[in-house]
């Protein structure tokens, strides 16, 4: 069997937008992905449906998968002929053990490539408003591991001469770091900054000096993952903060998903600085529709599409059978603005179902089996144009996505999204009811609000007009008085 190849890919520090283009492409092409604890799980959504996802996370002070076991997995998967991605948080060459893992491949004659990523000390510092170099404040920069309890191998005399020093994962050893820096000549009034979960919406920063940073961090109960930054350059933070100024900074959202298309709601929250978890993760597969069926469908007076996926499935079938879209004489209707946009992208226009007349023959085009169709869509004939299903690989990942800061707001875009979060959240061993009890609940429309009431909950936010834009406006303005 031909040997496979391993790609060491830097996932960046947390913000999913910081993955490199080359790294993203390798995720999309991988047969197997071995991924770490600290990377953003949203990056895994780009993996192919048949890609094997293997969690290799290590938790501080807890027993987990060993480095030796990871090395063996890389070798065995590559020897089976797979294209393997070793997905690491930050940059694989910065405290990422890429040297050890690559050596194990070299010993077996397995080819590999290393794709650098954005390392967390540089990214987290800038997201906290601190550049790590500056002509006036910092011409030298050092990165140091903060894990080592003994610190015997650290050149403290050399470090105190460096303008800006970043310690990785050093919160537990912060008292020792402070003591060593001061004992070797660093002034106690030197600015210090600890950044937890840098570049995520849950990022939290504590600023002080070497004299008081330990007490300040203890008061905020900060822990790893974190970067500790030491240097005069931190004084620029007051002028250069940008990420922490975003209107939804510090807020964590869970958006209940019902489709494969990108969520405009989630995108808007992310752009405004919020951290957004989306669940469940969906995939879609083609449904074969014969040419004779398709031609018969074009004779209906009205066609109602229930989702963007149903639009694309139906129109893709027409294209495959070489049927000209101009033969559609039916009046087209949709349930959502997303579906309307999907039709517009294909050169067709539609109206919302609220404006659909009762007269005329009706064809409902959906993405579910006939026995799962929603009676509210109408009494017409029904065809499934695409099969949409939940990606159950993410059932294991979902609980880890919820680790850390609690979700403050849960958002539902339609009735189906309520049912799906309840069903698959519980299937993922997440207590969804407990999560909803401690969070604010937002819904796009009255029907969705009624559905959440069926489960014993009441929505806290509902826009006057059922749109993602108006719901986002409500969220942004809810704390403005």
């Amino acid at each position: 069997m031909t040997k496979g190849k391993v790609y060491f890919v830097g996932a960046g520090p947390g913000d999913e937008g910081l993955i490199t283009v080359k790294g993203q492409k390798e995720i999309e092409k991988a047969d197997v992905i071995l991924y770490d604890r600290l990377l953003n799980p949203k990056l895994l959504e780009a993996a192919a449906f048949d890609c094997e996802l293997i969690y290799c996370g290590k938790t501080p002070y807890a027993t987990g998968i060993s480095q030796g076991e990871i090395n063996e997995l890389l070798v065995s998967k590559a020897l089976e002929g797979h294209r393997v991605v070793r997905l690491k948080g930050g940059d694989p060459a910065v405290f990422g053990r890429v040297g050890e893992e690559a050596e194990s491949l070299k010993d077996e004659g397995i080819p590999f490539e290393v794709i650098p990523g954005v390392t967390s000390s540089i990214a987290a510092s800038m997201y906290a408003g601190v550049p790590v170099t500056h002509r006036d404040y910092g011409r030298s920069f050092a990165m140091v591991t903060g894990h080592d309890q003994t610190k015997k191998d650290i050149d403290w005399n050399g470090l105190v001469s460096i303008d800006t020093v970043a310690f990785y994962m050093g919160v537990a050893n912060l008292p020792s770091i402070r003591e060593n820096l001061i004992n070797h000549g660093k002034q106690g009034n030197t600015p210090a900054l600890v950044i937890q979960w840098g570049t995520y919406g849950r990022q939290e920063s504590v600023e002080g000096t070497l004299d008081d940073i330990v007490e300040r961090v203890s008061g905020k109960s900060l822990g790893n993952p974190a970067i500790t930054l030491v240097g005069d350059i931190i004084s620029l933070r007051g002028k250069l903060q940008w990420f922490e100024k975003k209107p939804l900074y510090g807020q964590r959202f869970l958006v209940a998903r019902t489709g494969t298309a990108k969520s405009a709601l989630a995108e808007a929250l992310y752009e405004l600085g919020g951290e957004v978890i989306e669940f469940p993760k969906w995939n879609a597969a083609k449904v074969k529709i014969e040419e004779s069926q398709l031609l018969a469908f074009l004779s209906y007076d009205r066609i109602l599409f229930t989702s963007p996926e149903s639009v694309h499935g139906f129109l893709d079938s027409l294209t495959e059978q070489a049927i000209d879209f101009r033969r559609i004489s039916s009046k087209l209707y949709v349930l959502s603005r997303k579906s309307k946009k999907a039709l517009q992208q294909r050169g067709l226009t539609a109206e919302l179902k609220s404006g659909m007349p009762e007269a005329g023959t009706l064809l409902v085009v959906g993405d579910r089996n006939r026995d799962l169709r929603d009676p509210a869509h109408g009494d017409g004939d029904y065809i499934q144009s695409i099969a949409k299903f939940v990606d159950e690989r993410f059932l294991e990942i979902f609980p880890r996505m919820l680790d850390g800061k609690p979700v403050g707001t849960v958002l539902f875009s339609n009735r189906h999204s309520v049912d799906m979060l309840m069903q698959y959240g519980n299937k993922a061993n997440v207590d969804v009811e407990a999560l909803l009890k401690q969070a604010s609940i937002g819904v796009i429309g009255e029907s969705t609000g009624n559905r959440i009431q069926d489960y014993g909950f009441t929505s806290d936010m509902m826009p006057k007009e059922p749109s993602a834009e108006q719901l986002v406006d409500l969220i942004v303005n809810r704390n403005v008085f």
Side-chain angles (χ1 to χ4, degrees):
M1 180 182 290
T2 304
K3 290 178 182 176
K5 187 172 181 178
V6 176
Y7 296 81
F8 294 94
V9 176
D15 183 336
E16 65 266 29
L18 295 179
I19 184 76
T20 64
V21 173
K22 190 170 185 179
Q24 175 81 7
K25 287 181 178 178
E26 289 306 326
I27 293 172
E28 294 169 357
K29 293 186 286 187
D31 300 316
V32 181
I33 297 177
L34 283 73
Y35 65 99
D36 280 348
R37 179 177 74 96
L38 295 180
L39 60 85
N40 193 326
K42 284 180 70 69
L43 295 173
L44 299 172
E45 294 188 3
F49 179 64
D50 57 354
C51 176
E52 183 182 5
L53 305 178
I54 303 174
Y55 179 59
C56 296
K58 299 175 184 176
T59 304
Y61 317 115
T63 303
I65 187 170
S66 70
Q67 187 59 53
E69 290 171 315
I70 293 172
N71 296 349
E72 290 174 6
L73 273 170
L74 289 170
V75 169
S76 64
K77 294 298 181 181
L79 289 177
E80 290 171 7
H82 296 301
R83 188 184 190 105
V84 181
V85 163
R86 177 71 172 104
L87 192 58
K88 292 173 166 285
D91 183 291
V94 180
F95 306 122
R97 298 192 176 183
V98 69
E100 299 172 45
E101 295 177 8
E103 278 185 306
S104 67
L105 299 173
K106 186 68 175 177
D107 292 343
E108 298 291 337
I110 296 169
F112 63 87
E113 288 186 24
V114 181
I115 300 173
V118 180
T119 190
S120 56
S121 63
I122 295 173
S125 299
M126 197 65 256
Y127 270 55
V130 180
V132 293
T133 63
H134 189 282
R135 285 191 299 173
D136 298 328
Y137 296 92
R139 293 174 177 265
S140 57
F141 172 60
M143 294 180 284
V144 185
T145 177
H147 272 313
D148 183 18
Q149 293 285 348
T150 64
K151 303 294 181 295
K152 291 179 181 178
D153 57 346
I154 292 179
D155 179 8
W156 294 103
N157 287 319
L159 279 184
V160 296
S161 66
I162 301 294
D163 294 322
T164 310
V165 183
F167 293 89
Y168 282 65
M169 297 296 197
V171 174
N173 294 322
L174 195 54
S176 174
I177 290 170
R178 173 177 68 179
E179 179 183 357
N180 276 287
L181 286 173
I182 291 176
N183 287 346
H184 288 81
K186 208 75 170 174
Q187 296 297 311
N189 63 356
T190 303
L193 178 68
V194 176
I195 311 156
Q196 183 184 41
W197 290 110
T199 79
Y200 280 94
R202 74 187 105 154
Q203 173 179 305
E204 187 168 359
S205 305
V206 174
E207 185 176 354
T209 65
L210 282 179
D211 281 334
D212 64 13
I213 192 64
V214 172
E215 292 72 26
R216 287 176 178 265
V217 168
S218 178
K220 289 288 188 178
S221 300
L222 260 63
N224 287 322
I227 292 291
T228 299
L229 206 65
V230 178
D232 291 335
I233 203 166
I234 294 167
S235 62
L236 292 172
R237 172 172 150 81
K239 295 180 180 178
L240 301 182
Q241 285 186 68
W242 60 277
F243 181 62
E244 295 174 0
K245 300 285 188 182
K246 288 193 170 189
L248 297 182
Y249 162 74
Q251 298 189 41
R252 210 168 189 216
F253 300 88
L254 171 59
V255 175
R257 293 174 70 169
T258 58
T260 60
K262 285 187 175 181
S263 166
L265 178 59
E267 285 287 313
L269 298 171
Y270 165 75
E271 289 296 327
L272 291 169
E275 181 181 355
V276 186
I277 300 166
E278 297 180 74
F279 183 82
K281 165 73 167 62
W282 293 82
N283 280 306
K286 290 181 180 179
V287 171
K288 178 69 174 177
I289 306 176
E290 300 297 333
E291 180 182 10
S292 58
Q293 289 180 290
L294 287 167
L295 290 172
F297 295 151
L298 301 185
S299 65
Y300 283 80
D301 298 315
R302 302 166 295 159
I303 299 179
L304 172 66
F305 295 97
T306 67
S307 67
E309 292 87 355
S310 67
V311 168
H312 292 303
F314 186 78
L315 298 182
D316 286 347
S317 294
L318 291 178
T319 300
E320 289 170 7
Q321 299 290 356
I323 299 173
D324 194 328
F325 288 5
R326 289 173 295 183
R327 297 182 64 175
I328 302 176
S329 59
S330 314
K331 189 73 175 177
L332 306 182
Y333 297 91
V334 291
L335 294 181
S336 68
R337 289 178 174 84
K338 269 190 184 180
S339 298
K340 186 174 183 177
K341 186 176 180 180
L343 279 164
Q344 288 174 338
Q345 290 170 344
R346 307 292 286 264
L348 297 169
T349 60
E351 296 180 15
L352 292 174
K353 181 181 180 291
S354 56
M356 186 174 74
E358 295 293 331
T361 54
L362 172 66
L363 174 69
V364 179
V365 180
D367 53 29
R368 305 188 217 173
N369 293 331
R370 185 182 302 274
D371 56 350
L372 295 176
R373 65 174 292 188
D374 189 336
H377 295 161
D379 296 327
D381 295 330
Y382 181 85
I383 180 68
Q384 182 183 10
S385 67
I386 200 162
K388 193 170 66 174
F389 52 93
V390 169
D391 188 338
E392 297 204 356
R393 294 176 301 175
F394 286 81
L395 297 182
E396 174 198 347
I397 296 169
F398 183 46
R400 293 198 294 270
M401 296 173 76
L402 296 172
D403 282 347
K405 185 174 182 176
V407 169
T409 308
V410 183
L411 301 170
F412 299 96
S413 58
N414 53 48
R415 292 173 60 88
H416 189 46
S417 66
V418 178
D419 295 332
M420 292 300 95
L421 180 61
M422 290 295 186
Q423 179 182 342
Y424 285 97
N426 290 326
K427 197 170 182 179
N429 294 318
V430 170
D431 189 341
V432 178
E433 292 190 359
L435 190 155
L436 290 173
K437 285 177 182 177
Q438 68 176 11
S440 295
I441 298 173
V443 298
I444 280 186
E446 186 175 347
S447 175
T448 310
N450 292 337
R451 189 59 182 148
I452 199 69
Q453 285 183 352
D454 292 339
Y455 287 94
F457 297 94
T458 303
S459 61
D460 301 293
M461 292 172 286
M462 183 175 69
K464 292 180 180 178
E465 296 293 329
S467 71
E469 294 80 9
Q470 289 206 15
L471 182 54
V472 171
D473 285 342
L474 277 180
I475 293 167
V476 170
N477 293 316
R478 62 182 167 177
N479 294 324
V480 178
F481 300 98

